[in-house]
Amino acid sequence: MEVDSGSSSPGRKRRLLRLYYSSGPEPPPQQQEPEPCDINGAHFDPEIYLNKLRKECSLAELMDQESCMVKQIRSLDSDMQTLVYENYNKFISATDTIRKMKNDFKKMEDEMDCLSTNMSAITEFSARISGTLQDQHTQITKLSGVHTLLRKLQFLFELPARLNKCLELQAYAQAVSSHRRARCVLQQYSHMPSFRGIQDDCHAIMERLAHQLRQKFRDGGTSAKELSECVELLLQLEEPAEELCDKFLSHAQTRLEEDLRSLEAELKDSTVTNVSGDSARNPSSPSETLMSIHLISPASRADILEFIDRGCNEFVSNLCLVIASYQELFINRPQEGNLAFKNIPQMANSKLHLFVDSLASKYFSLVERRIQEEKGVGDNSLLVRALDRFHRRLQAVSKLLPGSAVPSQGTEIVIQAARERIKQYLSALQSFYLESLTDIRQALAAPRLSVGGTNTAGGGVHTGACTPGKEAPPSLPELLSSLSNSILNQIKSVLASVHLFTTKDITFSNKPYFRGEFCSHGVREGLVVSFIKFICQSSRNFCESAGDRGGSTPPVLLLLLSRLCLDYETSTISYILTLTDEQFLVMHQSPVTAVTALCEEAREAAQKLLNHYVKVQGLIISQMLRKSVETRDWVNTIEPRNVRAVMKRVVEDTTSIDVQVGLLYEEGVRKAHSSDSSKRTFSVYSSSRQQIRYAPSYTPSAPMDTNLLSNIHKLFSERIDIFSPVEFNKVSVLTGIIKISLKTFLECVRLRTFGRYGLQQIQVDCHYLQMYLWRFVSDENLVHFLLDEIVGSAAHRCLDPSPMEQSVIEVICERG
Amino acid sequence: MEDDAPVIYGLEFQARALTAQTAETDAIRFLVGTQSLKFDNQIHIIDFDDENNIINKNVLLHHAGEIWHISASPADKGVLTTCYNKTSESRVLTCAAVWRMPLEWESGSHESPDDSSNSPQTLELLCHLDNTAHGNTACVLWEPMGDGKRVISLADSHVVLWDLQESSTKATISSSATLEGKGQLKFTSGKWSPHHNCTQLATANDTAIRGWDLRSMSQIFCIENAHGQLVRDLDFNPNKQYYLASCGDDCKVKFWDVRHINEPVKTLEEHSHWVWSVKYNHSHDQLLLTASSDSRVILSNMVSISSEPFGHLVDDDDLSDNEETHHEEKSKEPLQDSIISTYEEHEDSVYAVEWSSADPWLFASLSYDGRLVINRVPRALKYRILL
C-alpha cells in the first residue's frame, strides 16, 4: 500500500508540474482509458491487477513477478531514503533565512512611520505658503492680461499711422499683413465708436492702398514679378479674383501683343526688303533704317531661323512666364479657407486657356505668314531648324498648360509647312525639268545655227556633266544621259532636303504624321510619283499640242523624250522609288501607286512620243512628196531624164532619220531579210510584177484588172495600218515613217491625171525609192507593195500608158 | 440578235463618187460614178431590195469624162449633177454639169443585168455649170430640202451660186464669192447648211474651215488650222444648227460648235489614215459615218454631242405605263460615246460613204477599187435608239 501511494504521488506531481510549465494544451485525460493494470499509472488498482495476474499467469510466472516486484520495491525504498537525506540540509537553511527576515522587517516599519510624519508636516507648510501667495498671483495674471490687451489696442490705434507710413514707403506687403491682422477685431468691435473710427480710417487707407496697387497694376511699366506681388496683395485684400484675372491677363496681353507687333513689323519689313531688293539691303539707305529703327538692322534681312528665334525668345518665353506666374497666383495658390473662392482655379484656368489660345493664334498666323514667305528651295535645313525650334519651344507651353490646344496647333503648322514645302519642291522639280527641256531644245537647235551654242547648252544643264568639247555639239546620247542624270541628281538632292524633316534630332520627326503620312503620302506620292507623272504628262502634251499647231516641237526632242520615258520604264522609276522607300522607310499604310503602274504610264508616254515622232517625221516627208505631186503638170511633162530631186531628198532625209534613231534605239529585227538580196533580183521581181499589172490595162477587159488588183491585195492578207503604233526599235520606226510617206504618195498620185511621160517619171522615181528604201524597213515586201501600188495607180490614171523599159529606168536611177 | 451580212457589189471601174438619190424616199437607191480614162464612164444606179437582200443595178453612160463628184437633186429624182474631168489638148479640166436620167431606165431594170450593160442608155445633159474663169470644180451642192432650183459649185477658190431655170436647162450665176488669201487657194469640199433657212455654207480649203452667208456672199466664220493637215470633208449636224463635223488627213474627226471655234467640241482619232468622208445620219444625229483610206468605214455613236444626249425624249403624256418603265430603264444606262463598229469589207481606200435617203438605218460605202458595200446599223443599237 505504501508503494501504491508512493507511486501515485509522483505521477500527480508530474502532472501538476507539466501543467505549470507548459502552457500548451495538455493531452486530454479522457483519451487515456484508465488503466488499472498499469502499475505506474494513476488509476492503478491493486485488486484488479492481482486478479488479472492470478488469472493470466502460471505459478512460475507469478513467482517471478513477485520476486521482481519485491526487488523493485526495495530499490524504490532506498531511493526515497537517499532523497530525504539530501534535502534535509536545505530545509534547515531555509528556516534560518525566514527567521532573519522577520527581524529586518520590524526595523523597516519604524523608519516608515517616521517618514510619514515628516511628510504630513511638509504638506501643512506648503498649504500655508500658497494661502498667503494666492492674492498676488491673481493680481499678476490680471495685470499681464491687461498688458496684452493694451498692446493690441495700441496696435490698433497706431494702425492707421502705420499703414500710412507703409503706404508712403510703398511697403504694401507689410501694410496688407498688418491690416489683415486687425481686420477681424475691428470688425468685431465695430459697434464701439472709437474702434469704428479706427476701422474707417483703416478702410480709407486700405482703399487708397488698393487704389494704388491697382494703379500700379494698370501701369504698364511694372515687371512681371512686381505685378505678381501686386496681384497677391490684392487678392489678400479680397479683391474679386475674376477681375484680377482679367486685369492680369489684359496687362500681360498688352505686353505680349507688343512682342507680336514687333514680330509683325519685322515681317512687314522683310517683305519690304523682299520687294525693294538690293536698295533695302543697303544699310546706308536712311529711310529704311528709320523705318525699322527698333527692329534688327535692315542690313541683314532676317532669315526664318532668326525670325522664329525672336518669336521664341520674346513671345513664347514671355507667354510661358505669364502662364507660370498666373498659375502661381490664381490656380496653384493654397486655399485659405474662403469657401466663396473655391471655384477660382477653374475660372482662372478657363480664362487662361482663352487668353493663351487667342494670343497663340495671332502668333501662329504671323509664323504662318513668315513660313509662306519661304519660297526659295535652296536651303531646307534652315527652315527645318526653324520649325524644329518653333515646335520645341511650344512643348514648354504644353508642359505648363497640359490641356491646351496650342502645341497641337503648332504641330499642325509644322505639318502644313512640310506639305507646302513638298509642293514647292515638286514645282521646283517641274520647272527644272522644263528648263532642262528648253536647254535641250537650244542644244538641238544650236549646231545648225552656230557652234558657240553648245556652251550655253552645256551650262544650262546644271550638273555640267555635258560639256564634252567646246567645238563638238553634244550628240543625242550625250544629251539624253546628261538630261536623265541631271534630273536624277535633282531628285536626289530634293529627297535629301526633304529628308531633313524626318531626321532623328528634330523634335517633330516622331510625330505620327512625319513617320507615316509624310513619308508615304507626302514624299513618295506627292513628290516623287507626282514628278514622274508630270514627266509623262508633259511628254504626252508634246504629242497633243504639236499635232495641231504644226511641229512646234522638234522631232528630235520627241525621240529623245521617248527614249527617256522608256529608260524610266525599264530602270529609273524603280530605282527612284526604291531610293525613296529606303530613305524614308515608307510604311505603306495607305495604298500607294505601284511601280508597275508608273512604269506602265511611262511606257505609254514613250510609246505615244515615238508614235508621234513617226507621225511628225512621216508628215514632213509626206509633205514633200505631196507638194511634188500636186504642183506638177503630169500630163505635159517631158520625158524623164533624171530622178526628181525630191526623191533624192526623201532618201537623204530617211537616211538621216535612220542615223538619228539609231543613236537612241536598237536596230530591231527584220522580217525575212536576206542581206544579199541584190538590187538586180529585186528589180526583176518587181518589174515582172509590173509587167503583169500593166498588161491588162491595154486590153479592153477592164474587170480582170480589178480582180487582179484584189488578188494582189490578198497576197498581203495582213492589212497595212498606216499610222499604227511602232515598236521601240529603229527598224520599226523607219518602217512607220516610210509607210506614211509612201501611202501619201499613193493617195496623191490617185488624185492626178498623168501623161505618158508623167507615168514614166513616176516609174523612175519609184524605182529609185525601191533601190534605197528597202534597207530601212522590217519587211521589204511592204515597200515593194506600196511602190507597186503607186506605179499601178499612176498607170491607171494615165491617158497614154506606155511604160518605160526597165533597163532604161535602171540606167537613169544608177546615174543619179 | 443577228445582223444581216453586208451586201457587196463590184463595179468594173475605179470609183470615187457616191450619192444617195436624195429625192427618193421609198426605194433604197444609190448613184455611183466611175473613174476611167480609157472607157466611157458610167453612172450605176444601185437599187437595194431590203427584204431579199438583193441588189439591182442599172447603168447609164456618162460620156463626158471620169466622175469625181456626184450629187442628186433633192427635188427631182431624175436630176443629178456631176463633176467630171475633161481632157482636151493635153489639159485636164474639171467641169460640172446638170444631167437628167432617161425616163426609161427603170423599165429596163427587170431584164438581166448583163444585158442591160450591153445597151446602156445615156444621160441627158441639161446644162453646164461652167465658167472657165472659175477653174476646176471640186463639188456641186444642191440646196438642201429645196425645190431643186439652186446649186452651189466650188471651183478652185470661187463659190458660185447658180439659179437653174427652165426645168434646169439653163443655169445662171446669181452670185459668187472668191476666197482671198496668199498662194493658190483651192476648195476641197463644202456643205450647204440645212439650217438658218439654207443661207449658210461651210467650205474647206487646206487646213481651214470657213462659213459663208449666201445672202451677202461673205465669210461669217473661219476655223484656221481646223485639222493638222488638209480638211477632206465636213457635214452639218441635221438637228443642231451650230454643230459641224469635219475630217482630214490628220486621221481625225472633229466636232465643232461654230460659235466657239477655238477648240473642237470633241475629237475622234480612230482611223489609221486620212479620213475622206464624214456623214451624219439624217434622222439620228448621234450616228456618224466616216470613211478612210485605211480601207475602213467606222460607225460611231456620238451621244453626248447629239440632239438627243439623254436618249430619245418622249413626252410623258404619250407614254403608257409599259413604255414608261422602258424609258426609265434607258435613262438608267444612257448610251456612251462609242465606236459601234468598224466595217472592214473594203480592201482599198474608201473615199465615199452615204446614208440612204429612204432607210435611216442603212448606208453604202465605196472604195477606189469599185467595191460598193451596203451595211446596216446593228439592230441592237437601232432598237436602243428607237425604244
Side-chain angles (χ1 to χ4, degrees):
Chain A
M1 280 320 280
E2 221 182 76
V3 177
D4 287 351
S5 67
S7 73
S8 79
S9 101
R12 202 183 64 227
K13 264 184 206 159
R14 235 180 277 131
R15 207 167 56 236
L16 284 172
L17 277 171
R18 196 162 59 228
L19 216 153
Y20 177 76
Y21 285 112
S22 74
S23 54
E26 210 187 345
Q30 286 95 338
Q31 244 178 5
Q32 268 174 315
E33 278 299 305
E35 263 183 280
C37 296
D38 183 5
I39 202 159
N40 292 324
H43 305 275
F44 180 69
D45 193 339
E47 280 305 315
I48 296 169
Y49 182 70
L50 270 178
N51 286 338
K52 192 179 167 215
L53 278 179
R54 249 179 267 146
K55 264 181 227 162
E56 288 173 358
C57 299
S58 64
L59 186 66
E61 278 171 340
L62 275 178
M63 291 301 285
D64 286 348
Q65 190 82 28
E66 196 221 350
S67 65
C68 168
M69 206 170 281
V70 168
K71 231 185 269 173
Q72 279 180 352
I73 290 167
R74 260 187 214 139
S75 79
L76 278 173
D77 229 7
S78 68
D79 279 354
M80 192 104 131
Q81 273 175 2
T82 2
L83 275 174
V84 170
Y85 285 135
E86 274 174 4
N87 287 319
Y88 183 75
N89 282 336
K90 287 176 188 168
F91 282 126
I92 298 295
S93 70
T95 319
D96 285 350
T97 313
I98 288 168
R99 195 174 296 140
K100 203 174 165 190
M101 274 172 69
K102 219 178 200 175
N103 288 340
D104 289 349
F105 276 130
K106 207 166 263 172
K107 217 163 101 203
M108 250 162 74
E109 208 171 304
D110 292 342
E111 281 172 9
M112 284 305 288
D113 281 343
C114 178
L115 183 66
S116 77
T117 47
N118 285 350
M119 280 307 289
S120 63
I122 288 169
T123 316
E124 202 179 319
F125 275 120
S126 151
R128 223 184 291 158
I129 289 168
S130 67
T132 46
L133 288 181
Q134 184 73 43
D135 288 349
Q136 284 168 358
H137 180 74
T138 47
Q139 228 163 355
I140 287 170
T141 320
K142 212 191 255 172
L143 279 175
S144 84
V146 169
H147 177 68
T148 36
L149 191 64
L150 280 176
R151 265 175 58 188
K152 277 185 187 165
L153 277 175
Q154 190 186 9
F155 174 77
L156 280 180
F157 288 126
E158 280 174 4
L159 188 61
R162 187 195 292 247
L163 287 177
N164 269 331
K165 205 175 177 193
C166 285
L167 208 57
E168 268 167 45
L169 292 173
Q170 297 199 327
Y172 301 118
Q174 210 183 333
V176 170
S177 69
S178 306
H179 178 249
R180 207 159 47 121
R181 272 194 283 159
R183 194 165 50 190
C184 298
V185 181
L186 287 173
Q187 190 67 39
Q188 199 179 338
Y189 297 102
S190 58
H191 56 275
M192 291 162 92
S194 55
F195 284 112
R196 163 71 54 76
I198 294 171
Q199 193 184 15
D200 289 350
D201 283 356
C202 283
H203 266 301
I205 293 167
M206 288 320 280
E207 206 72 22
R208 242 168 50 228
L209 183 125
H211 184 73
Q212 269 191 21
L213 279 177
R214 263 184 242 126
Q215 189 66 41
K216 199 172 160 194
F217 192 66
R218 223 171 286 132
D219 213 19
T222 42
S223 72
K225 199 170 168 226
E226 282 173 14
L227 199 68
S228 53
E229 242 174 53
C230 261
V231 170
E232 197 161 1
L233 294 178
L234 282 170
L235 268 181
Q236 283 175 5
L237 285 176
E238 295 185 357
E239 289 281 316
E242 198 169 339
E243 208 174 289
L244 278 179
C245 288
D246 285 344
K247 278 188 181 159
F248 182 84
L249 289 180
S250 75
H251 181 252
Q253 186 156 17
T254 52
R255 282 185 306 136
L256 288 170
E257 269 174 356
E258 202 164 294
D259 287 343
L260 285 178
R261 260 197 301 283
S262 88
L263 275 179
E264 193 172 4
E266 190 174 320
L267 198 62
K268 269 182 198 144
D269 179 55
S270 71
T271 50
V272 167
T273 353
N274 263 349
V275 171
S276 54
D278 288 337
S279 74
R281 260 169 240 199
N282 190 355
S284 64
S285 126
S287 62
E288 286 298 324
T289 332
L290 279 175
M291 227 189 84
S292 51
I293 197 146
H294 62 284
L295 301 175
I296 51 157
S297 82
S300 59
R301 178 198 177 305
D303 59 33
I304 184 153
L305 189 58
E306 281 174 41
F307 178 84
I308 296 283
D309 251 356
R310 255 177 81 96
C312 288
N313 290 340
E314 289 173 7
F315 175 76
V316 179
S317 57
N318 280 344
L319 184 67
C320 286
L321 211 64
V322 167
I323 294 172
S325 56
Y326 182 88
Q327 282 177 332
E328 192 79 2
L329 287 175
F330 298 105
I331 298 173
N332 299 335
R333 213 161 57 99
Q335 291 301 311
E336 284 160 358
N338 234 334
L339 282 170
F341 296 134
K342 257 221 155 145
N343 56 351
I344 286 184
Q346 284 99 323
M347 183 272 301
N349 215 355
S350 66
K351 274 187 190 303
L352 182 63
H353 274 279
L354 275 177
F355 166 78
V356 170
D357 285 351
S358 77
L359 276 175
S361 71
K362 279 182 197 161
Y363 174 59
F364 287 157
S365 75
L366 283 179
V367 170
E368 272 176 341
R369 266 171 58 193
R370 183 66 185 86
I371 289 174
Q372 272 163 17
E373 274 173 33
E374 272 313 282
K375 289 274 190 275
V377 288
D379 190 9
N380 200 34
S381 63
L382 215 57
L383 175 72
V384 174
R385 263 162 59 206
L387 288 176
D388 178 38
R389 198 153 302 175
F390 170 72
H391 190 257
R392 206 187 288 269
R393 291 303 286 263
L394 285 179
Q395 300 308 310
V397 178
S398 82
K399 265 183 212 133
L400 280 172
L401 209 61
S404 167
V406 171
S408 66
Q409 278 170 10
T411 312
E412 201 54 49
I413 285 181
V414 172
I415 288 173
Q416 193 56 44
R419 279 201 191 112
E420 209 53 47
R421 203 64 175 166
I422 285 179
K423 272 186 206 151
Q424 283 168 11
Y425 272 118
L426 179 62
S427 68
L429 272 180
Q430 290 175 348
S431 59
F432 172 80
Y433 174 70
L434 293 180
E435 269 171 34
S436 304
L437 284 192
T438 320
D439 291 337
I440 290 213
R441 262 178 206 245
Q442 278 171 3
L444 289 174
R448 261 173 265 158
L449 297 174
S450 68
V451 189
T454 37
N455 262 346
T456 57
V461 180
H462 295 299
T463 52
C466 91
T467 39
K470 285 194 175 165
E471 300 305 309
S475 70
L476 276 182
E478 279 163 3
L479 276 177
L480 177 69
S481 70
S482 80
L483 173 66
S484 84
N485 281 341
S486 64
I487 290 175
L488 204 58
N489 285 339
Q490 199 70 15
I491 289 179
K492 277 183 189 163
S493 75
V494 163
L495 280 182
S497 300
V498 173
H499 195 242
L500 289 175
F501 278 105
T502 59
T503 333
K504 282 264 175 349
D505 55 345
I506 302 292
T507 44
F508 51 76
S509 68
N510 58 1
K511 293 272 167 203
Y513 169 78
F514 282 95
R515 304 190 80 120
E517 210 200 331
F518 178 76
C519 293
S520 70
H521 214 262
V523 176
R524 192 183 192 274
E525 296 294 303
L527 194 62
V528 180
V529 173
S530 299
F531 179 59
I532 294 171
K533 281 190 172 162
F534 170 79
I535 291 182
C536 298
Q537 183 58 45
S538 70
S539 305
R540 281 200 296 272
N541 285 347
F542 275 119
C543 303
E544 270 140 35
S545 63
D548 290 342
R549 305 293 168 231
S552 61
T553 322
V556 191
L557 185 63
L558 294 174
L559 190 67
L560 195 77
L561 286 178
S562 142
R563 184 70 221 190
L564 182 75
C565 287
L566 195 65
D567 286 346
Y568 266 69
E569 189 252 329
T570 48
S571 60
T572 317
I573 286 178
S574 63
Y575 171 69
I576 293 175
L577 285 185
T578 318
L579 193 75
T580 313
D581 288 357
E582 275 170 8
Q583 259 191 29
F584 288 88
L585 302 168
V586 177
M587 309 292 222
H588 299 307
Q589 301 129 324
S590 51
V592 291
T593 318
V595 177
T596 49
L598 272 185
C599 287
E600 192 64 37
E601 201 172 332
R603 193 181 177 81
E604 211 173 275
Q607 181 76 61
K608 215 164 177 187
L609 280 165
L610 196 61
N611 287 350
H612 193 65
Y613 172 76
V614 168
K615 201 164 169 177
V616 169
Q617 292 286 30
L619 285 179
I620 290 171
I621 296 179
S622 298
Q623 213 63 30
M624 282 194 296
L625 286 168
R626 168 188 277 179
K627 282 273 142 54
S628 80
V629 175
E630 276 176 0
T631 51
R632 201 179 174 103
D633 181 0
W634 289 99
V635 179
N636 300 315
T637 187
I638 52 154
E639 190 172 2
R641 301 254 170 259
N642 280 312
V643 179
R644 283 187 300 146
V646 68
M647 293 303 156
K648 291 180 182 167
R649 182 77 200 281
V650 166
V651 171
E652 273 167 29
D653 280 11
T654 314
T655 315
S656 72
I657 290 170
D658 185 61
V659 172
Q660 208 173 62
V661 178
L663 287 174
L664 292 180
Y665 278 99
E666 297 76 30
E667 181 72 23
V669 280
R670 290 166 200 277
K671 197 193 288 175
H673 172 242
S674 53
S675 56
D676 60 340
S677 74
S678 68
K679 283 176 275 171
R680 185 145 309 271
T681 51
F682 153 71
S683 307
V684 167
Y685 160 75
S686 74
S687 72
S688 67
R689 281 252 313 268
Q690 279 173 15
Q691 293 301 338
I692 300 167
R693 290 277 305 283
Y694 295 157
S697 47
Y698 301 119
T699 63
S701 62
M704 195 187 163
D705 180 44
T706 43
N707 283 344
L708 192 71
L709 203 69
S710 65
N711 280 341
I712 292 167
H713 269 299
K714 273 167 199 155
L715 284 176
F716 299 87
S717 50
E718 228 176 299
R719 191 183 283 265
I720 302 169
D721 272 336
I722 305 302
F723 289 100
S724 57
V726 292
E727 287 161 28
F728 294 105
N729 60 55
K730 192 179 84 175
V731 168
S732 178
V733 169
L734 264 291
T735 308
I737 291 170
I738 289 171
K739 264 196 308 192
I740 292 172
S741 314
L742 293 186
K743 178 75 175 177
T744 305
F745 196 11
L746 173 66
E747 291 296 338
C748 290
V749 162
R750 283 182 177 182
L751 288 173
R752 304 287 296 175
T753 308
F754 294 86
R756 176 181 180 175
Y757 296 127
L759 169 63
Q760 291 182 355
Q761 183 68 60
I762 294 288
Q763 271 185 289
V764 170
D765 291 349
C766 285
H767 186 76
Y768 183 80
L769 291 179
Q770 244 169 358
M771 278 167 59
Y772 290 100
L773 292 185
W774 63 269
R775 67 188 81 197
F776 297 122
V777 298
S778 63
D779 183 5
E780 55 187 292
N781 286 331
L782 189 83
V783 177
H784 299 174
F785 168 70
L786 281 169
L787 289 172
D788 279 356
E789 277 283 292
I790 292 168
V791 177
S793 292
H796 267 291
R797 305 283 321 137
C798 183
L799 296 168
D800 176 19
S802 54
M804 195 178 236
E805 279 291 314
Q806 187 64 31
S807 55
V808 182
I809 296 176
E810 277 165 24
V811 168
I812 294 176
C813 287
E814 265 153 38
R815 204 173 52 202
Chain B
M1 215 177 304
E2 215 171 289
D3 287 313
D4 293 321
V7 181
I8 299 176
Y9 171 71
L11 281 79
E12 296 90 339
F13 299 106
Q14 289 169 335
R16 283 174 182 269
L18 169 72
T19 185
Q21 197 177 22
T22 322
E24 176 63 80
T25 50
D26 296 330
I28 299 162
R29 190 170 297 151
F30 293 100
L31 306 177
V32 181
T34 64
Q35 281 197 317
S36 171
L37 289 166
K38 290 130 213 157
F39 306 99
D40 270 342
N41 282 288
Q42 303 164 341
I43 287 179
H44 287 238
I45 302 163
I46 311 293
D47 263 284
F48 181 63
D49 184 345
D50 198 18
E51 278 163 27
N52 302 317
N53 255 15
I54 296 172
I55 280 179
N56 291 315
K57 70 151 186 178
N58 283 286
V59 177
L60 297 173
L61 285 181
H62 181 276
H63 293 293
E66 56 175 3
I67 301 166
W68 286 84
H69 186 263
I70 190 168
S71 169
S73 161
D76 189 340
K77 285 187 214 178
V79 177
L80 62 106
T81 60
T82 59
C83 300
Y84 57 91
N85 265 11
K86 195 166 74 183
T87 318
S88 57
E89 300 145 22
S90 64
R91 272 196 71 217
V92 179
L93 190 69
T94 312
C95 307
V98 186
W99 309 85
R100 175 174 290 286
M101 293 190 264
L103 289 169
E104 314 85 61
W105 65 267
E106 219 158 358
S107 62
S109 69
H110 299 296
E111 296 165 23
S112 77
D114 292 333
D115 292 344
S116 67
S117 64
N118 285 340
S119 55
Q121 289 168 309
T122 310
L123 282 172
E124 176 194 339
L125 176 73
L126 291 180
C127 63
H128 287 287
L129 297 174
D130 274 356
N131 191 329
T132 42
H134 291 150
N136 293 316
T137 311
C139 62
V140 175
L141 311 168
W142 290 89
E143 183 180 31
M145 297 165 290
D147 53 1
K149 293 266 168 69
R150 302 214 298 169
V151 292
I152 288 173
S153 68
L154 300 176
D156 278 354
S157 62
H158 303 284
V159 181
V160 188
L161 179 61
W162 304 81
D163 272 336
L164 300 180
Q165 291 154 347
E166 299 167 26
S167 2
S168 305
T169 53
K170 192 177 159 206
T172 54
I173 297 175
S174 71
S175 59
S176 72
T178 307
L179 189 58
E180 308 282 344
K182 272 186 241 166
Q184 239 186 339
L185 297 175
K186 260 189 195 171
F187 286 117
T188 50
S189 87
K191 210 76 185 184
W192 197 325
S193 164
H195 306 293
H196 311 291
N197 228 355
C198 299
T199 55
Q200 286 186 9
L201 173 78
T203 61
N205 68 296
D206 200 21
T207 61
I209 296 173
R210 286 162 209 275
W212 303 84
D213 190 329
L214 295 175
R215 292 165 297 190
S216 59
M217 284 313 251
S218 58
Q219 190 172 307
I220 47 175
F221 67 84
C222 176
I223 310 173
E224 300 278 5
N225 285 320
H227 284 265
Q229 308 273 311
L230 202 67
V231 181
R232 289 278 169 193
D233 194 17
L234 40 86
D235 197 11
F236 279 99
N237 186 318
N239 298 324
K240 291 179 88 174
Q241 55 184 345
Y242 298 109
Y243 275 68
L244 182 70
S246 67
C247 61
D249 288 2
D250 55 0
C251 313
K252 288 176 187 163
V253 178
K254 292 189 182 181
F255 297 88
W256 304 90
D257 182 337
V258 297
R259 295 163 298 185
H260 309 285
I261 57 173
N262 294 326
E263 285 293 322
V265 180
K266 211 171 175 68
T267 302
L268 286 182
E269 196 169 1
E270 299 294 335
H271 285 291
S272 69
H273 202 244
W274 306 349
V275 188
W276 286 75
S277 180
V278 57
K279 290 281 183 296
Y280 274 111
N281 188 297
H282 305 304
S283 340
H284 305 283
D285 56 275
Q286 60 267 54
L287 299 179
L288 187 90
L289 283 173
T290 50
S292 156
S293 40
D294 64 0
S295 326
R296 292 193 179 96
V297 173
I298 291 182
L299 173 63
S300 330
N301 188 14
M302 304 306 293
V303 180
S304 69
I305 49 172
S306 75
S307 59
E308 301 172 354
F310 308 110
H312 188 52
L313 294 176
V314 186
D315 287 338
D316 289 342
D317 307 341
D318 301 342
L319 287 169
S320 70
D321 290 352
N322 194 14
E323 279 166 331
E324 224 156 8
T325 54
H326 246 293
H327 187 70
E328 278 166 17
E329 267 170 36
K330 197 166 44 170
S331 57
K332 266 181 221 159
E333 36 170 345
L335 290 164
Q336 299 292 313
D337 287 356
S338 60
I339 302 304
I340 294 160
S341 55
T342 304
Y343 299 95
E344 311 215 352
E345 283 84 19
H346 294 287
E347 279 167 355
D348 203 339
S349 304
V350 187
Y351 294 129
V353 65
E354 275 290 346
W355 290 98
S356 162
S357 54
D359 182 351
W361 308 105
L362 192 130
F363 58 90
S365 52
L366 179 67
S367 57
Y368 190 59
D369 56 6
R371 183 180 290 190
L372 180 83
V373 179
I374 294 178
N375 262 306
R376 292 183 186 83
V377 175
R379 278 208 189 112
L381 177 72
K382 175 175 166 179
Y383 291 137
R384 279 199 76 175
I385 290 173
L386 282 180
L387 297 178

